[in-house]
């Protein structure tokens, strides 16, 4: 392992602390490691490669963009900041270079594995006469109309070009003609990235990148111009995704964000990945149009880019009996018998706290709850926070139905949900037209909480507090909890959260919920301090947390303090993680595990021993400064014994995972978690079968 993984940062000169961006690179590497596992089905490995690539693109667009802006700052006051950003950029780029080599190896490994299963990538050099005829007809009839070349010498730059696309730089030569360069944007959104050819008589399947279909068709794209030699080299670029938000007081927030989204396309180019075979003269001409600065990254690579498309590898390419083993076995989402469709969910929740754990359980219960509320004559109002929603969202449809049925419906829509701004703007306009009162959050604070409040004319109000978005698509792949309750202790506080969003500068008091930016940080510190006191008094003390990110310096130091006092700390952390475990003077009682498996670990669970009381919380907040100080986040206490036991089991199962769990120890090595047993234990599989068993007992 290179020295890019050995360097540990410090706080206050001596406290071990891993920079969030470095730790994120290590997290993304865990995904790459999963893609290289031969015991993972081949198509799942392809998907992991796509996820890795997509994650890295977004990381450059956001985090590397921010560091580049800081590194370029001038002036004595920012000299030290600029230096640190510059050094961090160097470190990140060195790690990226190392992982890129491994990534290219992984691509070859997975392609070889596909070939063993009868699925091969076809390149132009290997096309036979019959296949060539098929491909040219396909281009002429389905693709060619969407291909629009641009002469490179006519381009003034790439300010208007979208960095989510792949481009071909085309070199054209002909007798007595000057060499010309053109740019072609591949129409992947309209035509897909992959071409599936008819199955051969031997049962073999061939797949071709759209890039290569366009290469084959170049003479058809530039006809009658005298060019006889065509070569095409792929490239992609990444832009700064930061939006320019208009501060004009006369412009509404919806219009500001819409304008900001349009400004994003003009962001500065940060990184260019190009085919290493591209001629230097062409590369030089291309770079002049991209206008790179000294902090930009120019990376030679292979023939194909935008491997995020591997996440949508065509199913028809694997349509054979043999392909069953190429994916994970199906885990149909579980329907809970206690929430039978014939029963009123409003009534069931009023009687007892209910919960679902997606994607093990179906998200349909949340949709059903809103649909029932939309038509129930006993419901007078619905309030909801929406951070991200699915395309053609049934949640949104239920809200609009409720508004049309005379309910007072309020939807708090977060317009600044990164990369979902356009979708949220469209959703907001649609709801407004249906009579929904759309609120655009709090100026300067993202509303990231996941809340529903259903007000009743008679009886208890109903609240839903979740760890994930009300998004039907995400609920099929993200692990999240949704607690549904009629407890006045919770519903009163949820009502107060909506009041706070409406009037953020008025005093707000929450009796049970932990709410940021108000007092969540202090509540968590108090809970940790209680464990520290118990440990120092010789009593049992432990903390068990499942979370996405821990980077907040105060929380990191507090966990170190708890470890030093003898508190046993177990952390399931998916992404950014700034703690170094097993350091003698700081963290010998801290263990952290990151799980990469078929589902994205997303739920946030906090459990404190509290003298045997097992104080348990779930909600939307990670332990980063943005979550604790700059967002509206909600974490709820859990009182129901069944849900408390389930949450504890989820955390403990994750900590025991020795097949898909890796140690997040601050070294970047991502070693497999030894777990607690010599027998293989896969937490997601164990949870799924546990829920199946519980449901069979209830039937």
């Amino acid at each position: 392992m290179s020295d890019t993984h050995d360097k540990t940062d410090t706080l206050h000169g001596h406290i071990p602390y891993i920079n969030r961006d470095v730790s994120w690179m290590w997290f993304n590497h865990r995904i790459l490691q999963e893609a290289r596992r031969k015991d993972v089905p081949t198509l799942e490995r392809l998907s992991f490669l796509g996820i890795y690539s997509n994650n890295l693109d977004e990381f450059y667009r956001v985090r590397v963009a921010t560091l580049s802006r800081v590194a370029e700052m001038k002036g004595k006051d920012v000299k030290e900041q600029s230096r640190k950003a510059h050094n961090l950029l160097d470190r990140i780029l060195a790690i990226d270079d190392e992982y890129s080599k491994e990534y290219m190896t992984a691509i070859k490994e997975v392609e070889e594995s596909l070939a063993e299963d009868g699925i091969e990538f076809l390149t132009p050099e290997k096309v036979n006469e019959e296949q060539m005829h098929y491909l040219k007809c396909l281009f002429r009839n389905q693709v060619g109309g969407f291909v629009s070349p641009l002469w490179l010498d006519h381009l003034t730059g790439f300010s208007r070009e979208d960095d989510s696309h792949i481009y071909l730089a085309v070199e054209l030569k002909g007798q007595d003609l000057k060499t010309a360069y053109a740019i072609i944007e591949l129409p992947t959104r309209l035509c897909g990235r992959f071409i599936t050819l008819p199955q051969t008589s031997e049962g073999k399947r061939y797949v071709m990148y759209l890039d290569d279909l366009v290469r084959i068709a170049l003479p058809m794209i530039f006809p009658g111009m005298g060019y006889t030699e065509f070569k095409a080299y792929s490239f992609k670029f990444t832009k700064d995704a930061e939006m320019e938000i208009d501060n004009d007081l006369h412009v509404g927030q919806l219009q500001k964000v819409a304008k900001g989204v349009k400004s994003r396309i003009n962001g500065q180019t940060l990184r260019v990945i190009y085919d290493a075979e591209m001629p230097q003269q062409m590369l030089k001409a291309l770079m002049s149009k991209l206008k790179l600065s000294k902090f930009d990254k120019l990376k030679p690579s292979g023939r194909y880019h935008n491997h995020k498309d591997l996440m949508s590898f065509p199913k028809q390419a694997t349509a054979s009996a043999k392909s069953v083993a190429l994916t994970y076995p199906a885990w149909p989402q579980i329907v809970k018998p206690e929430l039978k469709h014939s029963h009123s969910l409003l009534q069931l929740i009023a009687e007892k706290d209910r919960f679902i754990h997606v994607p093990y359980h179906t998200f349909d219960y949340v949709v059903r709850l809103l649909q029932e509320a939309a038509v129930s004559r006993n419901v007078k109002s619905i309030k909801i926070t929406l951070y991200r929603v699915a395309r053609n969202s049934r949640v949104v449809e239920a809200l609009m139905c409720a508004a049309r049925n005379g309910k007072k419906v309020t939807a708090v829509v977060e317009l600044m949900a990164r990369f979902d701004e356009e979708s949220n703007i469209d959703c907001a306009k649609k709801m407004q037209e249906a009579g929904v009162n759309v609120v655009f959050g709090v100026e300067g604070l993202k509303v990231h909480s996941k809340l529903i409040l259903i007000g009743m004319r008679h009886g208890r109000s109903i609240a839903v507090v979740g760890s994930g978005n009300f998004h039907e698509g995400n609920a099929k792949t993200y692990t999240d909890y949704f607690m549904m309750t009629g407890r006045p202790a919770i519903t009163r506080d949820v009502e107060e959260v909506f009041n706070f969003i409406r009037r953020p500068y008025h005093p707000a008091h929450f009796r049970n919920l932990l709410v940021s930016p108000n007092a969540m940080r202090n509540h968590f510190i108090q809970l940790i301090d209680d464990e520290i006191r118990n440990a120092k008094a010789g009593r049992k003390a432990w903390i068990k947390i499942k979370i996405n990110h821990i980077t907040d310096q105060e929380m990191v130091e507090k966990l170190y303090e708890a470890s030093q006092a003898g508190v046993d700390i177990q952390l399931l952390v998916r992404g950014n993680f700034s703690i170094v475990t097993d350091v003698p003077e700081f963290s010998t009682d801290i263990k952290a595990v990151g799980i990469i498996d078929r589902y994205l670990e997303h739920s946030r669970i906090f459990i404190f021993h509290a003298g045997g009381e097992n104080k348990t919380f779930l909600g939307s907040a990670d332990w980063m400064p943005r979550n604790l100080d700059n967002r509206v986040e909600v974490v709820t206490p859990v009182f129901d014994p069944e849900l408390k036991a389930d949450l504890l089991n989820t955390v403990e199962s994750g900590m025991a995972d020795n097949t898909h769990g890796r140690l997040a120890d601050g070294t970047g090595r991502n070693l497999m978690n030894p777990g607690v047993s010599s027998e293989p234990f896969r937490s997601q599989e164990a949870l799924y079968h546990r829920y199946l068993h519980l449901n069979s007992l209830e039937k």
Side-chain angles (χ1 to χ4, degrees), residues 19 76 106 132 433 503 591:
N19 175 273
K76 292 182 179 180
M132 183 65 76
E433 291 170 0
R503 300 192 306 269
K591 180 182 179 181

Side-chain angles (χ1 to χ4, degrees), residues 90-127:
D90 287 344
R91 189 177 178 195
I92 288 170
L93 297 177
I95 296 173
D96 187 21
D97 283 342
E98 179 182 333
Y99 291 168
S100 292
K101 295 171 186 174
E102 185 177 351
Y103 186 84
M104 297 310 296
T105 300
I107 288 284
K108 292 178 182 177
E109 290 172 345
V110 176
E111 287 182 358
E112 289 170 0
S113 181
L114 274 176
E116 291 173 5
D117 289 304
I119 305 164
E120 291 188 29
F121 281 93
L122 186 65
T123 61
E125 298 79 17
K126 296 180 180 179
V127 173

Side-chain angles (χ1 to χ4, degrees), residues 517-588:
N518 299 60
M520 182 183 291
R521 176 190 293 276
N522 292 338
H523 274 112
F524 276 130
I525 288 174
Q526 182 61 55
L527 288 162
I528 298 172
D529 281 339
D530 290 344
E531 296 301 320
I532 291 173
R533 279 192 293 272
N534 286 338
K536 288 182 176 180
R539 293 188 289 270
K540 189 174 182 178
W542 52 252
I543 298 169
K544 300 183 181 188
I545 292 175
K546 182 178 183 299
I547 199 167
N548 290 337
H549 314 292
I550 300 179
T551 64
D552 184 84
Q553 295 182 8
E554 184 177 16
M555 302 310 294
V556 167
E557 291 185 66
K558 183 56 68 172
L559 289 174
Y560 280 150
E561 181 185 342
S563 176
Q564 291 164 4
V567 179
D568 179 53
I569 301 171
Q570 297 182 18
L571 306 171
L572 273 178
V573 185
R574 188 188 86 222
N576 301 335
F577 185 57
S578 295
I579 290 174
V580 183
T581 65
D582 299 318
V583 178
E585 295 182 7
F586 292 95
S587 55
T588 53

Side-chain angles (χ1 to χ4, degrees), residues 90-238:
D90 287 344
R91 189 177 178 195
I92 288 170
L93 297 177
I95 296 173
D96 187 21
D97 283 342
E98 179 182 333
Y99 291 168
S100 292
K101 295 171 186 174
E102 185 177 351
Y103 186 84
M104 297 310 296
T105 300
I107 288 284
K108 292 178 182 177
E109 290 172 345
V110 176
E111 287 182 358
E112 289 170 0
S113 181
L114 274 176
E116 291 173 5
D117 289 304
I119 305 164
E120 291 188 29
F121 281 93
L122 186 65
T123 61
E125 298 79 17
K126 296 180 180 179
V127 173
N128 62 34
E129 187 176 339
E130 182 182 354
Q131 291 168 333
M132 183 65 76
H133 176 73
Y134 173 83
L135 290 168
K136 286 184 176 180
C137 288
L138 180 71
F139 180 84
R140 187 179 297 112
N141 297 329
Q142 298 183 29
V143 178
F146 302 112
V147 175
S148 303
L150 298 173
W151 294 111
L152 186 61
D153 56 4
H154 285 187
L155 278 178
T156 56
F158 279 78
S159 61
R160 295 182 179 180
E161 313 308 316
D162 192 331
D163 67 347
S164 65
H165 293 282
I166 321 153
Y167 296 85
L168 290 181
V170 183
E171 182 184 60
L172 303 98
K173 293 183 178 181
Q175 190 174 3
D176 300 327
L177 290 174
K178 182 181 178 182
T179 298
Y181 299 133
I183 300 298
I184 294 176
E185 177 188 305
L186 293 178
T188 53
R189 291 182 183 174
L190 297 168
C191 305
R193 183 69 190 282
F194 302 101
I195 307 299
T196 303
L197 282 79
Q199 188 170 349
T200 67
S201 57
E202 297 84 15
K204 187 171 283 189
R205 292 274 183 177
Y206 287 101
V207 177
M208 176 175 278
Y209 279 96
L210 182 67
D211 320 29
D212 284 334
L213 177 64
V214 174
R215 285 186 173 97
I216 287 172
L218 285 173
M220 302 164 64
I221 298 171
F222 299 95
M225 302 178 68
Y227 295 111
T228 56
E229 187 179 341
F230 305 87
K231 292 182 180 178
Y233 307 89
S234 62
F235 70 95
K236 63 173 287 186
F237 52 91
T238 307

Side-chain angles (χ1 to χ4, degrees), residues 164-338:
S164 65
H165 293 282
I166 321 153
Y167 296 85
L168 290 181
V170 183
E171 182 184 60
L172 303 98
K173 293 183 178 181
Q175 190 174 3
D176 300 327
L177 290 174
K178 182 181 178 182
T179 298
Y181 299 133
I183 300 298
I184 294 176
E185 177 188 305
L186 293 178
T188 53
R189 291 182 183 174
L190 297 168
C191 305
R193 183 69 190 282
F194 302 101
I195 307 299
T196 303
L197 282 79
Q199 188 170 349
T200 67
S201 57
E202 297 84 15
K204 187 171 283 189
R205 292 274 183 177
Y206 287 101
V207 177
M208 176 175 278
Y209 279 96
L210 182 67
D211 320 29
D212 284 334
L213 177 64
V214 174
R215 285 186 173 97
I216 287 172
L218 285 173
M220 302 164 64
I221 298 171
F222 299 95
M225 302 178 68
Y227 295 111
T228 56
E229 187 179 341
F230 305 87
K231 292 182 180 178
Y233 307 89
S234 62
F235 70 95
K236 63 173 287 186
F237 52 91
T238 307
K239 290 183 178 180
D240 185 340
E242 190 66 28
M243 297 191 306
E244 296 178 8
I245 301 297
D246 192 340
N247 289 320
D248 187 346
L249 295 177
H250 299 289
V251 178
Q253 192 169 358
L254 190 72
Q255 289 76 18
K256 288 181 184 179
V257 176
K259 186 177 179 181
V261 170
K262 290 180 180 178
S263 76
R264 178 180 279 160
I265 201 169
N266 297 317
Q268 180 182 344
T269 302
L270 298 162
R271 177 183 64 153
V272 177
I273 299 177
Y274 67 95
D275 186 340
E277 299 296 318
M278 184 182 293
Q280 284 298 309
Q281 187 70 20
M282 174 186 275
L283 179 63
K284 184 177 179 181
L286 192 61
M287 293 307 103
S288 68
K289 299 294 183 179
L290 286 165
K291 299 177 182 177
L292 299 180
S293 79
K294 64 180 180 179
F295 292 111
D296 301 320
K297 182 64 176 175
L298 187 62
K299 182 187 287 292
S301 187
R303 191 176 193 181
Y304 308 102
H305 309 130
N306 260 30
H307 284 115
K308 67 179 182 181
D309 294 323
L310 293 172
M311 288 188 286
S312 54
F313 191 76
K315 289 185 173 60
Q316 63 266 33
T318 60
S320 67
K322 197 173 182 181
S323 69
V324 174
L326 299 181
T327 61
Y328 289 130
W331 288 356
Q333 290 189 301
I334 296 168
V335 177
K336 298 184 78 171
E338 67 175 86

